[in-house]
Amino acid sequence: MSLDLFTASLMAALVANVCGAIYIIDTLLRRDDGPGRVWAIAFLCGMATTIAYMMWAAGTGGFVAISLGNALFVATTAVMWLGARRFNERSLRAAVVVAVVGIVIVAASAALEGPDGGDWAGWLAMALSVTVFSVLAGIECFRAPLVRFGTAAVLGGVFLVVAVAYLARSIVFVAAGPDSDVFLTWFGSVMASYLTVVLSIVAVVVTSMLRGTQSDLRAYAWMSAVGITSDGLMLSGTFESALRDVVERAQWRGELVALISVRLEDLRQIRIAFGADVAGDVLHAFRQGVRRYAASISVVGEDGDVGLLVVTRSSTAADARRQAGGIYRGLLESLGAVTQAVIPVVGVGVALTETVGYDADALLASARAAGASAASSVETSVVFGGTAPIRDALS
């Protein structure tokens, strides 16, 4: 069964608008401030595209509606690419410039042709732009960490299919013309409607699933086979297993083990006030700062979205304070190098086996409580769990 142009276009518009509305409403309910927000803009552009083309089909707006519809159609694909880059924690500055330039060129190409351009005014520029941005979006879906999720590969594959289809349409458009039987039968608007339906359905399903992994993204949880994150830190489960092993072996020898909890506060407020790029830079500097300034024989792992843990051997309580203080000072230097506009609150807590005992769970609870206390304190940068015995050890 073959669909006529009106039915196919109506079907594509209905699917695109329903998918877009579902995704945008879900984004508002979640109060998403990550890649989901960027993808929501892409769906909004897609919905606006159908409105512009309906205005043109109804004889309203003329070449202005065509220019606007073409630009919004390209914007939909371009912003999907930007959302994928945001998910991969890649810079958006240059990418946004590229996207804006492409959208402006497409809008201008239809506007320059004016009423004489007819129904296909600026179409070639639009098709080539869609091809380029579809390739970029498809490639981005196969970059880490998106490539770690199987559903992203499906979305990337659809984008690459769209790129091939629009490249083929462009070639036939130039070679045979838009009024040729070959173009109208195999590469016309009906085929484009089918692609729109497939892309809309796949995009809303995949991006919704990927958005559910946003907390994993913030914790850099795309891991290798050995449980290490992409930037060299242990995942929380791997770290806790290592901690238990270290504590057990230290108990055999009666050695002093220090567990240092480092917390980064105000990251959400920084993201809201200064944008996702600054917040991402701050988080990256925090993670790498702790890894850099912790003792070389220590083990560093994740502790939630904005916390890290360091387990190390210390000779005395004073030595543990020195190591924790070194991490704190190094972090302030690293974070200050990222941005002078804001320095987030950093809390450092320490739990010692001589105070808490050789119990991994007790060490974790004590270090976390001390780290939270340090983050809320304006008087001290390092807080020990079990303060009374530690005061005696340091005096």
Tab-separated table of all heavy atoms in Angstrom, residues 295-334:
chain	number	residue	atom	x	y	z
A	295	ALA	N	47.830	10.711	47.796
A	295	ALA	CA	49.110	9.995	47.821
A	295	ALA	C	49.155	8.959	46.706
A	295	ALA	O	48.141	8.359	46.352
A	295	ALA	CB	49.302	9.327	49.175
A	296	SER	N	50.352	8.762	46.154
A	296	SER	CA	50.482	7.878	44.990
A	296	SER	C	50.144	6.432	45.323
A	296	SER	O	49.781	5.664	44.427
A	296	SER	CB	51.913	7.970	44.436
A	296	SER	OG	52.856	7.619	45.435
A	297	ILE	N	50.249	6.055	46.591
A	297	ILE	CA	49.935	4.672	46.964
A	297	ILE	C	48.478	4.520	47.394
A	297	ILE	O	48.068	3.431	47.780
A	297	ILE	CB	50.854	4.192	48.105
A	297	ILE	CG1	50.656	5.079	49.346
A	297	ILE	CG2	52.301	4.169	47.670
A	297	ILE	CD1	51.349	4.530	50.583
A	298	SER	N	47.708	5.589	47.326
A	298	SER	CA	46.309	5.532	47.759
A	298	SER	C	45.418	5.023	46.639
A	298	SER	O	45.814	4.967	45.474
A	298	SER	CB	45.855	6.919	48.224
A	298	SER	OG	45.901	7.841	47.144
A	299	VAL	N	44.199	4.674	47.012
A	299	VAL	CA	43.180	4.238	46.060
A	299	VAL	C	42.071	5.274	46.084
A	299	VAL	O	41.583	5.652	47.157
A	299	VAL	CB	42.636	2.848	46.425
A	299	VAL	CG1	41.522	2.444	45.460
A	299	VAL	CG2	43.751	1.814	46.418
A	300	VAL	N	41.649	5.741	44.896
A	300	VAL	CA	40.653	6.796	44.790
A	300	VAL	C	39.435	6.248	44.052
A	300	VAL	O	39.561	5.624	43.001
A	300	VAL	CB	41.209	8.027	44.036
A	300	VAL	CG1	40.187	9.164	44.045
A	300	VAL	CG2	42.525	8.486	44.646
A	301	GLY	N	38.255	6.497	44.611
A	301	GLY	CA	37.029	6.012	43.986
A	301	GLY	C	35.881	6.965	44.169
A	301	GLY	O	35.953	7.942	44.927
A	302	GLU	N	34.789	6.694	43.466
A	302	GLU	CA	33.606	7.550	43.508
A	302	GLU	C	32.783	7.297	44.758
A	302	GLU	O	32.765	6.195	45.308
A	302	GLU	CB	32.735	7.299	42.273
A	302	GLU	CG	33.374	7.711	40.969
A	302	GLU	CD	32.441	7.500	39.804
A	302	GLU	OE1	31.552	6.629	39.906
A	302	GLU	OE2	32.603	8.194	38.792
A	303	ASP	N	32.066	8.344	45.169
A	303	ASP	CA	31.140	8.231	46.290
A	303	ASP	C	29.917	9.092	45.968
A	303	ASP	O	29.802	10.232	46.417
A	303	ASP	CB	31.802	8.695	47.590
A	303	ASP	CG	30.913	8.458	48.806
A	303	ASP	OD1	30.143	7.482	48.784
A	303	ASP	OD2	30.978	9.259	49.759
A	304	GLY	N	29.037	8.563	45.149
A	304	GLY	CA	27.898	9.344	44.705
A	304	GLY	C	28.270	10.271	43.563
A	304	GLY	O	29.335	10.158	42.957
A	305	ASP	N	27.373	11.227	43.275
A	305	ASP	CA	27.570	12.117	42.141
A	305	ASP	C	28.649	13.161	42.388
A	305	ASP	O	29.332	13.580	41.456
A	305	ASP	CB	26.257	12.824	41.795
A	305	ASP	CG	25.237	11.864	41.206
A	305	ASP	OD1	25.656	10.778	40.773
A	305	ASP	OD2	24.046	12.202	41.188
A	306	VAL	N	28.768	13.657	43.612
A	306	VAL	CA	29.683	14.774	43.886
A	306	VAL	C	30.620	14.464	45.042
A	306	VAL	O	31.048	15.357	45.770
A	306	VAL	CB	28.891	16.068	44.177
A	306	VAL	CG1	28.196	16.549	42.939
A	306	VAL	CG2	27.898	15.855	45.323
A	307	GLY	N	30.957	13.201	45.211
A	307	GLY	CA	31.871	12.822	46.278
A	307	GLY	C	32.909	11.837	45.795
A	307	GLY	O	32.668	11.060	44.867
A	308	LEU	N	34.086	11.885	46.422
A	308	LEU	CA	35.159	10.937	46.138
A	308	LEU	C	35.719	10.427	47.461
A	308	LEU	O	35.660	11.124	48.491
A	308	LEU	CB	36.267	11.591	45.311
A	308	LEU	CG	35.901	12.043	43.893
A	308	LEU	CD1	37.071	12.785	43.254
A	308	LEU	CD2	35.498	10.865	43.025
A	309	LEU	N	36.257	9.233	47.441
A	309	LEU	CA	36.853	8.622	48.618
A	309	LEU	C	38.289	8.243	48.323
A	309	LEU	O	38.608	7.804	47.210
A	309	LEU	CB	36.065	7.384	49.045
A	309	LEU	CG	34.646	7.620	49.573
A	309	LEU	CD1	33.888	6.298	49.667
A	309	LEU	CD2	34.691	8.301	50.939
A	310	VAL	N	39.148	8.418	49.318
A	310	VAL	CA	40.561	8.073	49.196
A	310	VAL	C	40.933	7.204	50.388
A	310	VAL	O	40.740	7.621	51.539
A	310	VAL	CB	41.460	9.329	49.171
A	310	VAL	CG1	42.931	8.927	49.039
A	310	VAL	CG2	41.047	10.274	48.053
A	311	VAL	N	41.425	6.014	50.147
A	311	VAL	CA	41.909	5.169	51.231
A	311	VAL	C	43.421	5.073	51.105
A	311	VAL	O	43.966	4.824	50.023
A	311	VAL	CB	41.259	3.771	51.204
A	311	VAL	CG1	41.542	3.032	49.901
A	311	VAL	CG2	41.738	2.948	52.386
A	312	THR	N	44.093	5.343	52.217
A	312	THR	CA	45.546	5.375	52.192
A	312	THR	C	46.089	4.956	53.541
A	312	THR	O	45.367	4.957	54.554
A	312	THR	CB	46.050	6.786	51.835
A	312	THR	OG1	47.476	6.768	51.717
A	312	THR	CG2	45.653	7.797	52.904
A	313	ARG	N	47.355	4.598	53.574
A	313	ARG	CA	48.028	4.240	54.830
A	313	ARG	C	48.680	5.481	55.409
A	313	ARG	O	49.304	6.251	54.680
A	313	ARG	CB	49.071	3.164	54.588
A	313	ARG	CG	49.748	2.670	55.857
A	313	ARG	CD	50.565	1.424	55.589
A	313	ARG	NE	51.227	0.980	56.812
A	313	ARG	CZ	52.509	1.202	57.090
A	313	ARG	NH1	53.266	1.853	56.225
A	313	ARG	NH2	53.032	0.769	58.217
A	314	SER	N	48.512	5.690	56.702
A	314	SER	CA	49.116	6.833	57.382
A	314	SER	C	49.926	6.334	58.566
A	314	SER	O	49.562	5.339	59.216
A	314	SER	CB	48.044	7.810	57.875
A	314	SER	OG	47.275	8.300	56.801
A	315	SER	N	50.989	7.035	58.848
A	315	SER	CA	51.826	6.646	59.991
A	315	SER	C	51.216	7.118	61.304
A	315	SER	O	51.287	6.428	62.328
A	315	SER	CB	53.233	7.226	59.835
A	315	SER	OG	53.180	8.639	59.675
A	316	THR	N	50.603	8.302	61.292
A	316	THR	CA	49.979	8.871	62.479
A	316	THR	C	48.730	9.644	62.065
A	316	THR	O	48.481	9.868	60.871
A	316	THR	CB	50.932	9.842	63.208
A	316	THR	OG1	51.249	10.921	62.319
A	316	THR	CG2	52.215	9.130	63.639
A	317	ALA	N	47.979	10.099	63.081
A	317	ALA	CA	46.817	10.942	62.796
A	317	ALA	C	47.249	12.262	62.170
A	317	ALA	O	46.573	12.806	61.294
A	317	ALA	CB	46.031	11.187	64.086
A	318	ALA	N	48.390	12.781	62.636
A	318	ALA	CA	48.901	14.030	62.068
A	318	ALA	C	49.261	13.851	60.598
A	318	ALA	O	49.051	14.751	59.775
A	318	ALA	CB	50.121	14.502	62.861
A	319	ASP	N	49.785	12.677	60.244
A	319	ASP	CA	50.118	12.409	58.848
A	319	ASP	C	48.844	12.336	58.001
A	319	ASP	O	48.805	12.824	56.869
A	319	ASP	CB	50.895	11.093	58.752
A	319	ASP	CG	51.270	10.743	57.314
A	319	ASP	OD1	51.728	11.649	56.593
A	319	ASP	OD2	51.089	9.580	56.917
A	320	ALA	N	47.793	11.754	58.566
A	320	ALA	CA	46.515	11.707	57.848
A	320	ALA	C	45.971	13.115	57.622
A	320	ALA	O	45.455	13.432	56.547
A	320	ALA	CB	45.509	10.871	58.640
A	321	ARG	N	46.090	13.988	58.637
A	321	ARG	CA	45.649	15.372	58.468
A	321	ARG	C	46.475	16.063	57.384
A	321	ARG	O	45.932	16.839	56.583
A	321	ARG	CB	45.784	16.141	59.785
A	321	ARG	CG	45.372	17.604	59.654
A	321	ARG	CD	45.557	18.353	60.966
A	321	ARG	NE	44.566	17.957	61.942
A	321	ARG	CZ	43.324	18.428	61.990
A	321	ARG	NH1	42.909	19.303	61.062
A	321	ARG	NH2	42.486	18.043	62.924
A	322	ARG	N	47.768	15.795	57.349
A	322	ARG	CA	48.631	16.417	56.338
A	322	ARG	C	48.207	15.989	54.942
A	322	ARG	O	48.123	16.821	54.030
A	322	ARG	CB	50.092	16.023	56.590
A	322	ARG	CG	51.070	16.606	55.561
A	322	ARG	CD	52.456	16.023	55.752
A	322	ARG	NE	52.451	14.571	55.608
A	322	ARG	CZ	52.425	13.952	54.425
A	322	ARG	NH1	52.392	14.654	53.304
A	322	ARG	NH2	52.440	12.638	54.377
A	323	GLN	N	47.923	14.707	54.765
A	323	GLN	CA	47.497	14.231	53.444
A	323	GLN	C	46.147	14.841	53.048
A	323	GLN	O	45.959	15.268	51.900
A	323	GLN	CB	47.394	12.703	53.454
A	323	GLN	CG	48.729	11.991	53.600
A	323	GLN	CD	48.598	10.495	53.368
A	323	GLN	OE1	48.066	10.063	52.354
A	323	GLN	NE2	49.087	9.700	54.309
A	324	ALA	N	45.208	14.881	53.998
A	324	ALA	CA	43.904	15.462	53.700
A	324	ALA	C	44.026	16.951	53.401
A	324	ALA	O	43.376	17.467	52.474
A	324	ALA	CB	42.949	15.232	54.875
A	325	GLY	N	44.865	17.652	54.155
A	325	GLY	CA	45.074	19.072	53.900
A	325	GLY	C	45.709	19.327	52.546
A	325	GLY	O	45.392	20.307	51.871
A	326	GLY	N	46.619	18.436	52.129
A	326	GLY	CA	47.229	18.576	50.809
A	326	GLY	C	46.213	18.430	49.688
A	326	GLY	O	46.256	19.156	48.690
A	327	ILE	N	45.264	17.498	49.861
A	327	ILE	CA	44.206	17.338	48.865
A	327	ILE	C	43.342	18.594	48.818
A	327	ILE	O	42.992	19.088	47.743
A	327	ILE	CB	43.346	16.095	49.187
A	327	ILE	CG1	44.182	14.820	49.013
A	327	ILE	CG2	42.108	16.043	48.298
A	327	ILE	CD1	43.459	13.562	49.448
A	328	TYR	N	43.012	19.125	49.992
A	328	TYR	CA	42.153	20.313	50.053
A	328	TYR	C	42.815	21.511	49.374
A	328	TYR	O	42.194	22.190	48.548
A	328	TYR	CB	41.852	20.636	51.514
A	328	TYR	CG	40.990	21.859	51.710
A	328	TYR	CD1	39.609	21.787	51.573
A	328	TYR	CD2	41.558	23.089	52.029
A	328	TYR	CE1	38.811	22.909	51.742
A	328	TYR	CE2	40.771	24.215	52.203
A	328	TYR	CZ	39.401	24.116	52.053
A	328	TYR	OH	38.617	25.228	52.221
A	329	ARG	N	44.068	21.777	49.705
A	329	ARG	CA	44.762	22.920	49.101
A	329	ARG	C	44.956	22.732	47.603
A	329	ARG	O	44.832	23.681	46.820
A	329	ARG	CB	46.107	23.130	49.801
A	329	ARG	CG	45.978	23.634	51.238
A	329	ARG	CD	47.336	23.992	51.807
A	329	ARG	NE	48.202	22.813	51.919
A	329	ARG	CZ	48.216	22.003	52.980
A	329	ARG	NH1	47.422	22.238	54.017
A	329	ARG	NH2	49.013	20.957	53.021
A	330	GLY	N	45.276	21.515	47.202
A	330	GLY	CA	45.440	21.256	45.777
A	330	GLY	C	44.141	21.448	45.014
A	330	GLY	O	44.138	21.961	43.887
A	331	LEU	N	43.021	21.042	45.628
A	331	LEU	CA	41.723	21.217	44.980
A	331	LEU	C	41.374	22.695	44.799
A	331	LEU	O	40.864	23.092	43.753
A	331	LEU	CB	40.629	20.533	45.805
A	331	LEU	CG	40.388	19.056	45.534
A	331	LEU	CD1	39.302	18.527	46.450
A	331	LEU	CD2	40.015	18.819	44.078
A	332	LEU	N	41.650	23.502	45.821
A	332	LEU	CA	41.373	24.931	45.689
A	332	LEU	C	42.168	25.529	44.536
A	332	LEU	O	41.668	26.367	43.783
A	332	LEU	CB	41.704	25.654	46.997
A	332	LEU	CG	40.796	25.350	48.194
A	332	LEU	CD1	41.185	26.217	49.385
A	332	LEU	CD2	39.332	25.571	47.845
A	333	GLU	N	43.408	25.090	44.386
A	333	GLU	CA	44.232	25.589	43.278
A	333	GLU	C	43.673	25.135	41.936
A	333	GLU	O	43.589	25.923	40.987
A	333	GLU	CB	45.662	25.092	43.452
A	333	GLU	CG	46.614	25.535	42.352
A	333	GLU	CD	48.022	25.001	42.552
A	333	GLU	OE1	48.335	24.548	43.668
A	333	GLU	OE2	48.800	25.026	41.581
A	334	SER	N	43.269	23.871	41.845
A	334	SER	CA	42.736	23.347	40.583
A	334	SER	C	41.418	24.006	40.218
A	334	SER	O	41.186	24.376	39.062
A	334	SER	CB	42.541	21.828	40.691
A	334	SER	OG	43.762	21.170	40.905
